[in-house]
Amino acid sequence: MTDVKTPVGEAAEAPVSKPGKPIAWPLGIAGVALLVVGSFLSWSYNSQILNDLSINFYPGGLQLLAIFGAVLSLVLLLAEKGPLVKLGSWLDATLGLRMLGTGLAVYMVLIVIAITTQAGGLINVNPGGYVSLVGALLLAASAWMLPLRQLRDMSEARLPGWAEILAIAVLMGSILYAAAYALGLQDAWSFILCLLFIAVVATALFRTGALSWIGHVAQRRKRVLTLAAFVVAFLFPFTQNGSDANMSIANQVLIFSATAMGLNIVVGLAGLLDLGYIAFLGAGSYTAAVLSQSAFATVNWKPPFLLVVLLGACVSMVLGLIIGTPTLRVSGDYLAIVTLGFGEIFRFTMGNLDGNNGPNLTNGPNGVPGIPDLKIGNFNFGDSHIVAGIDLGRFSNYYFLLLVLIGFVILVFARLNNSRIGRGWVAIREDEKAAEAMGVNVFGLKLLAFAVGAFLAGLAGTIKAHQDAAVSPDQYQFIESAFLLAAIVLGGMGTIAGVLLGATILKLLPEKLRFFSEYRLLMFGLLLVLMMRFRPEGLVASRRRQLEFHEEDEELAVAVEEEHLIVEEAK
């Protein structure tokens, strides 16, 4: 049943579209109570599994998550009927409860299965686990018996400025805590269950409309959101207790994100399908490697790193111009095949420049190992530092440098996207013939997209070479280009937050799900299939992109038109 939103100014108590069962609300309260009580009791007889859930009145991590879910459910129940009923006129508490209750039930069922399989039998599930399971099932049943209500438009919801800024701060702090907690989980089952819980809560908040309100707040306070995001990113190393493993993963995510953002210009804005983009990252890495202080470097010139960064980016840009000039007159599948071939040619070329098949420039298949850590002035990135009593190791140093890089890349992307050049790229993506007929320099803008995208990838590659301490041809295979393209499709083409989210998911999950071994690619494929079926516009898509896939949504069309008018008035 779809929700009908009431005009602004009508009564907060909107009429109920369909009456619910009287028992629904008290049943939900009982479910919340049982879920909380059970979470304070022991869930497992075996203390060696799921990070120890065997202690009474001392909840473990997964039990604390269940308690948080119960508290959130209680808030939604009180918004449905209770002291928070005014909030319920804005939030779709029923849909949120349905998602949250069902998700918590699945969460508890999987916990029982995990204890059973890891501990060797259902007998190892202690009473607390069953109490929480019953509570989650009662909550889910209650949610599906509650009525749906007519709601106000969340875009009209306003709070004082300090409250909206506080909401952004709480959201970003929650993201920081969730990321730190999830990365700290070493147990496979615990990590999967944590991801499931985060996905359930995020989906429930989306169903209620709370995330929609956050989106409107973010539009009104973009600078606050941007500052909060970078503060959270800056504080992340201080939550890892000096863990090099987690910081190494974080660095790979940032490198992958910066590279994907460059590809987002080519694919997301200009609509050019590039399947060999990883070659530009490799060009930057090899440039930094052969100009480094490594004993295996083949070039005797050792310029300062800041100059190396520019040289690596320019080499990648030149490659982009070389491949783009003769090939950008074709498009679609033909361009995809050409760029795929370019990516493979680059990899084989780097493997053949070994002094036998060509000049000795890259040491062939052996690559360039032993690349020393960066040293800018007196600061050595290989040294550990203690800040506020927290040990920040080698990977933390590179993390802060990569944070500066990703900030620069985002700035370049945002400026280009909001410029006349960006509008030209979007016009080419939508209809190249129509754009050319309207006077857009199609070939020039397509070539510029290739050059700028390659330049940004080259920047990331120069830092990647020093962080990895080695480069070799097998690091730049076609599968890496495929993953970069998948990050853009998964996150949302042409957006910043979407690409960052997609890159994080596709780089983080394979690292943390190594226990699935060869099944990781199967899971990746299933994820993309589900995304294309249920949300083809991506996880975080622009409204215009959403409208392309949901043309029948009149409300979305009106919102897009209003957004366009606001932008035009601002200009």
Side-chain angles (χ1 to χ4, degrees):
M1 182 180 298
T2 57
D3 303 324
V4 181
K5 297 189 175 182
T6 61
V8 180
E10 291 191 5
E13 290 288 347
V16 177
S17 58
K18 182 179 178 180
K21 297 182 179 180
I23 197 177
W25 194 80
L27 191 65
I29 295 296
V32 168
L34 288 176
L35 186 56
V36 172
V37 170
S39 298
F40 277 95
L41 300 176
S42 172
W43 282 1
S44 171
Y45 178 79
N46 190 334
S47 62
Q48 303 301 315
I49 61 175
L50 299 181
N51 292 329
D52 193 2
L53 305 177
S54 63
I55 305 175
N56 285 316
F57 309 113
Y58 189 79
L62 297 179
Q63 291 168 314
L64 289 174
L65 293 181
I67 293 172
F68 176 80
V71 172
L72 182 58
S73 301
L74 179 61
V75 171
L76 294 178
L77 283 168
L78 295 179
E80 181 69 26
K81 179 182 178 182
L84 301 179
V85 68
K86 289 186 177 180
L87 182 64
S89 67
W90 295 98
L91 296 181
D92 196 335
T94 300
L95 281 181
L97 273 170
R98 288 179 180 180
M99 183 63 217
L100 190 57
T102 304
L104 286 173
V106 173
Y107 176 77
M108 288 307 306
V109 168
L110 288 178
I111 284 179
V112 170
I113 292 174
I115 294 173
T116 301
T117 55
Q118 288 194 302
L122 196 59
I123 194 174
N124 291 289
V125 181
N126 279 350
Y130 292 113
V131 172
S132 294
L133 175 60
V134 172
L137 292 174
L138 290 179
L139 182 60
S142 164
W144 286 96
M145 290 189 286
L146 288 170
L148 293 172
R149 294 182 178 275
Q150 294 175 333
L151 303 172
R152 291 181 172 184
D153 189 348
M154 288 300 296
S155 65
E156 302 296 335
R158 292 290 191 276
L159 287 178
W162 65 267
E164 292 186 346
I165 294 174
L166 179 62
I168 292 176
V170 170
L171 173 65
M172 300 310 296
S174 300
I175 292 174
L176 175 62
Y177 176 79
Y181 177 75
L183 277 176
L185 294 173
Q186 301 301 321
D187 178 70
W189 270 102
S190 297
F191 182 73
I192 293 174
L193 289 166
C194 179
L195 288 186
L196 172 65
F197 181 84
I198 293 173
V200 166
V201 170
T203 307
L205 292 176
F206 176 78
R207 288 296 187 92
T208 62
L211 291 186
S212 174
W213 178 74
I214 288 291
H216 292 299
V217 172
Q219 286 294 324
R220 294 194 294 268
R221 306 187 182 278
K222 288 183 178 180
R223 292 183 179 180
V224 174
L225 180 65
T226 302
L227 178 62
F230 274 96
V231 168
V232 165
F234 177 81
L235 293 176
F236 176 76
F238 296 92
T239 67
Q240 297 305 304
N241 298 320
S243 171
D244 281 343
N246 288 342
M247 290 311 303
S248 175
I249 295 174
N251 288 355
Q252 294 298 332
V253 168
L254 288 181
I255 292 172
F256 194 73
S257 299
T259 310
M261 195 64 67
L263 181 60
N264 197 24
I265 293 176
V266 179
V267 177
L269 295 184
L272 306 173
L273 185 56
D274 188 343
L275 295 180
Y277 188 77
I278 195 65
F280 301 127
L281 179 69
S285 295
Y286 265 101
T287 301
V290 298
L291 295 178
S292 71
Q293 299 287 342
S294 170
F296 299 91
T298 55
V299 177
N300 293 326
W301 184 39
K302 311 297 179 185
F305 177 70
L306 294 179
L307 180 57
V308 171
V309 169
L310 292 177
L311 287 174
C314 290
V315 168
S316 294
M317 183 176 66
V318 169
L319 284 179
L321 293 174
I322 291 174
I323 186 62
T325 300
T327 61
L328 284 179
R329 300 189 185 278
V330 299
S331 59
D333 299 339
Y334 301 101
L335 179 61
I337 292 172
V338 171
T339 54
L340 188 151
F342 167 69
E344 291 301 290
I345 289 172
F346 173 82
R347 182 166 64 90
F348 283 114
T349 300
M350 295 301 102
N352 286 330
L353 297 179
D354 57 357
N356 295 321
N357 301 305
N360 185 17
L361 184 63
T362 65
N363 291 323
N366 295 323
V368 183
I371 301 175
D373 286 306
L374 284 175
K375 189 175 181 181
I376 300 178
N378 294 324
F379 186 86
N380 191 326
F381 282 76
D383 296 338
S384 296
H385 303 85
I386 297 178
V387 179
I390 299 174
D391 185 24
L392 299 178
R394 172 181 182 271
F395 290 103
S396 296
N397 297 331
Y398 282 103
Y399 176 87
F400 292 121
L401 179 61
L402 288 167
L403 207 56
V404 174
L405 171 68
I406 197 72
F408 173 75
V409 172
I410 290 174
L411 179 64
V412 170
F413 180 89
R415 292 295 185 183
L416 287 173
N417 188 24
N418 296 326
S419 68
R420 185 171 61 181
I421 294 174
R423 291 194 293 274
W425 282 333
V426 172
I428 294 171
R429 184 192 71 193
E430 298 302 323
D431 193 324
E432 183 175 326
K433 296 298 182 183
E436 188 173 14
M438 295 301 294
V440 175
N441 185 354
V442 173
F443 179 76
L445 286 181
K446 288 165 73 173
L447 193 60
L448 179 63
F450 249 69
V452 173
F455 183 88
L456 297 179
L459 289 177
T462 56
I463 300 177
K464 175 179 169 61
H466 286 273
Q467 191 222 233
D468 294 346
V471 295
S472 59
D474 57 2
Q475 293 177 327
Y476 308 103
Q477 300 182 24
F478 164 71
I479 189 64
E480 298 297 329
S481 294
F483 266 80
L484 286 168
L485 183 60
I488 296 173
V489 174
L490 177 65
M493 294 174 60
T495 64
I496 294 175
V499 172
L500 294 178
L501 179 60
T504 301
I505 291 174
L506 292 185
K507 202 64 180 179
L508 174 63
L509 290 188
E511 293 293 335
K512 298 295 289 186
L513 297 179
R514 287 187 177 275
F515 50 86
F516 278 121
S517 187
E518 66 273 11
Y519 295 105
R520 287 184 294 167
L521 289 180
L522 174 62
M523 295 176 62
F524 165 67
L526 289 175
L527 177 64
L528 286 183
V529 170
L530 292 174
M531 280 295 303
M532 292 302 99
R533 171 61 183 85
F534 296 105
R535 195 171 176 83
E537 66 271 23
L539 293 173
V540 184
S542 65
R543 290 195 171 185
R544 289 187 177 277
R545 190 71 178 168
Q546 284 180 300
L547 192 57
E548 292 177 17
F549 292 96
H550 306 283
E551 295 180 355
E552 72 285 353
D553 194 333
E554 296 182 3
E555 184 179 339
L556 181 61
V558 171
V560 170
E561 185 63 28
E562 291 177 351
E563 186 177 282
H564 177 69
L565 290 175
I566 292 173
V567 172
E568 291 298 324
E569 290 176 1
K571 292 177 182 178

